[in-house]
Amino acid sequence: MLFWILVALLTAAVAAVLLLPLMRAAEPLPSRHSHDIEVYRDQLGELARDREAGLIGSEEAELARAEIARRMLAASAADQAVAERTPKRLLSNRLAQAFIFLCLPAVGLCLYLTTGSPGVPAQPLAARLADPGDDVNILIAKAENHLALNPQDGAGWDLLAPIYMRHGRVDDAVAAYDRAIRLLGPTPARMGGYAEALVAQAGGLVTSEAQNALQKALALDPDDPRSAFYLALGLKQEGKHTEALAAFRKLAESSPADAPWLSLVNQHIAELAAAPAGPGPAAPGNPAPGDIAAAEQMNAGDRQAMIRGMVDSLASRLKEDPANLEGWMRLIRSYVVLDQRDRAKIALHDGLRAFPETGEQGKQLLALARELGIDAGGEAE
């Protein structure tokens, strides 16, 4: 009922705004010919006074009286024509007023009944937060409201952090993981998730802060594959190809045969095995060691600008050499971090052209898209 009351009030307000100028226009305005007639009458009176005072001759007075009378008749005829047109103008204004007052609300109501959902019950925010159903955004808002009132609830931060990551809210994920670790203490899952969020925040760079978190995760669980993978990736980014190759091979040997990350690990092994000895140039899509060191010394704005430049460079390299699964995955995740989800979707489709979704690598790209909340469209059919 409150909704319909508000609709009625808004409709009345809009109608009043539209009717006001029409009501003003409907009021009859004084004709300029009426003023002329009054002037001519005053001239006749003044002419009579001049005749009595002997200031003008009788013949001249008659001529002047005849001229004033002629002008008065012409003004009277014009005034009469204006008066005859006034009812027509008033009628058109009345019709316009009736249209605004009756037809516009009726048209709006019909459109709402046709395209709207009048039968849906009201859903105030409090009620939606109390019963969010399958709406993930409402679930996140509910959790955030709870944590705003209970900031020491470590379990809440622990639950919210990976949800933030899946929805591309990387900065929020870093903060949530940090709060959960401070309140509940480190675990392999928390430290690994925190490190992964730091890597995503840095645009794919395994920074020293992320490496510290990964090493703590491995100290708690030496068999944690996520921490082992990112530490090996950090070695590769630093140009330590021998150590990185050994780390990736160790991870491949300890992984199950059907592990989803195994194909990506094998790709790194193949790249490192084919790379020449020595530091050499960075692999396509990988930052140089100097880039990592420079990024750690920058403020947030400069780091973001550097990340954008590296992402653009990675996108250009992938156009020239699309057979780089890790590059496509890093590019898609980087676009999400930069809040460029449209470009992330385009990168996903480009990557699926290089790695069809029927293959294992294409399935990894689709899994990443689902994790980040990217609609793969017809590619996933």
Side-chain angles (χ1 to χ4, degrees), residues 67-331:
E67 178 61 22
I68 294 173
R70 184 188 64 80
R71 294 181 180 180
M72 184 181 293
L73 289 173
S76 299
D79 194 36
Q80 182 64 28
V82 172
E84 291 175 354
R85 289 196 302 268
T86 298
K88 296 180 181 180
R89 183 166 59 87
L90 291 175
L91 178 60
S92 63
N93 284 337
R94 292 286 182 256
L95 291 176
Q97 293 172 21
F99 177 79
I100 292 172
F101 191 73
L102 298 176
C103 296
L104 284 184
V107 170
L109 179 61
C110 291
L111 287 174
Y112 175 69
L113 293 175
T114 303
T115 61
S117 301
V120 176
Q123 289 185 309
L125 179 59
R128 282 181 285 161
L129 290 177
D131 185 18
D134 296 331
D135 192 333
V136 177
N137 292 324
I138 296 298
L139 286 170
I140 293 175
K142 184 177 181 179
E144 290 173 337
N145 287 346
H146 170 75
L147 291 172
L149 299 175
N150 304 276
Q152 301 304 312
D153 182 5
W157 293 111
D158 196 31
L159 177 66
L160 194 57
I163 297 176
Y164 279 147
M165 275 296 292
R166 286 195 294 271
H167 285 76
R169 297 173 58 176
V170 178
D171 292 339
D172 292 330
V174 170
Y177 274 120
D178 182 64
R179 295 291 292 271
I181 292 169
R182 291 175 184 273
L183 294 171
L184 300 178
T187 65
R190 290 186 196 118
M191 298 306 299
Y194 178 57
E196 188 175 31
L198 289 172
V199 172
Q201 188 181 47
L205 303 179
V206 185
T207 61
S208 59
E209 186 179 1
Q211 289 177 346
N212 291 335
L214 292 167
Q215 290 167 355
K216 291 179 181 178
L218 276 183
L220 296 170
D221 181 8
D223 297 326
D224 180 23
R226 175 170 58 178
S227 299
F229 173 81
Y230 280 113
L231 281 174
L233 180 62
L235 292 172
K236 182 182 179 182
Q237 291 176 351
E238 292 174 358
K240 300 176 181 178
H241 289 183
T242 303
E243 294 90 333
L245 181 59
F248 277 122
R249 283 176 172 169
K250 181 180 178 181
L251 177 58
E253 292 170 359
S254 62
S255 299
D258 58 348
W261 60 83
L262 190 56
S263 61
L264 184 58
V265 172
N266 289 331
Q267 180 181 338
H268 282 289
I269 292 174
E271 291 177 358
L272 290 168
N286 287 332
D291 295 332
I292 301 173
E296 294 178 355
Q297 304 299 322
M298 293 178 178
N299 58 38
D302 292 339
R303 187 184 298 115
Q304 283 293 97
M306 177 183 175
I307 291 172
R308 289 191 183 93
M310 294 180 66
V311 170
D312 292 340
S313 176
L314 174 59
S316 299
R317 291 177 179 179
L318 287 173
K319 288 182 179 179
E320 299 174 358
D321 180 20
N324 183 353
L325 178 62
E326 180 200 348
W328 287 115
M329 296 182 72
R330 179 178 292 117
L331 181 64

Side-chain angles (χ1 to χ4, degrees), residues 43-44 46-52 55-71:
Q43 289 179 351
L44 288 175
E46 185 178 356
L47 182 61
R49 289 191 294 272
D50 290 343
R51 177 70 184 85
E52 292 175 357
L55 298 177
I56 188 173
S58 57
E59 185 177 351
E60 294 174 347
E62 288 300 327
L63 291 174
R65 186 181 296 108
E67 178 61 22
I68 294 173
R70 184 188 64 80
R71 294 181 180 180

Side-chain angles (χ1 to χ4, degrees), residues 322-363:
N324 183 353
L325 178 62
E326 180 200 348
W328 287 115
M329 296 182 72
R330 179 178 292 117
L331 181 64
I332 293 167
R333 190 181 291 276
S334 298
Y335 279 142
V336 173
V337 171
L338 295 173
D339 197 22
Q340 298 177 355
R341 303 187 73 85
D342 291 341
R343 300 184 69 177
K345 185 175 180 179
I346 294 172
L348 171 63
H349 291 173
D350 292 341
L352 288 174
R353 280 196 287 270
F355 301 100
E357 65 269 20
T358 54
E360 186 64 30
Q361 294 170 320
K363 291 178 180 178

